[in-house]
Amino acid sequence: MTARAQGENAAMQQVSCTECLAKVQVRKTAWEQTSIQWSGEALELCRERPACPSGSLPRDQFVGCETLRAALRDATARGSLELEEHAAAS
């Protein structure tokens, strides 16, 4: 199985934002690669999303929550968000 196929089949892990407690599903295949799946509920709870401009241009789109991004970095550093390359080796 290729690395890409393994990453696509990897289980998602739940991570909560430390500010608004929105829960997202995350797959971390490498330090540089994180896939985040937002639910409708998480988008509604996010406190940073309403601050984004609304419009049809790419620069007007919601690209993510900085507080959640920090929570993902912290969870990875603590080991509670496992890198898939390490999970596969276990």
Side-chain angles (χ1 to χ4, degrees):
M1 184 180 296
T2 66
R4 181 178 180 151
Q6 287 174 339
E8 290 171 355
N9 293 330
M12 301 288 274
Q13 301 172 67
Q14 185 172 282
V15 175
S16 297
C17 178
T18 56
E19 180 66 30
C20 67
L21 304 180
K23 295 176 184 169
V24 297
Q25 296 297 314
V26 179
R27 177 174 44 238
K28 190 139 186 78
T29 54
W31 284 100
E32 303 82 11
Q33 175 64 39
T34 306
S35 299
I36 303 171
Q37 185 175 26
W38 287 79
S39 67
E41 181 181 7
L43 288 170
E44 290 294 322
L45 286 171
C46 181
R47 294 184 184 163
E48 292 184 32
R49 185 173 182 247
C52 292
S54 59
S56 59
L57 297 174
R59 70 172 181 253
D60 296 333
Q61 303 302 309
F62 176 65
V63 294
C65 171
E66 289 300 321
T67 306
L68 178 65
R69 197 169 282 126
L72 292 169
R73 278 191 307 269
D74 291 347
T76 304
R78 283 192 319 271
S80 57
L81 178 58
E82 210 172 314
L83 290 173
E84 288 303 323
E85 59 191 24
H86 294 133
S90 300

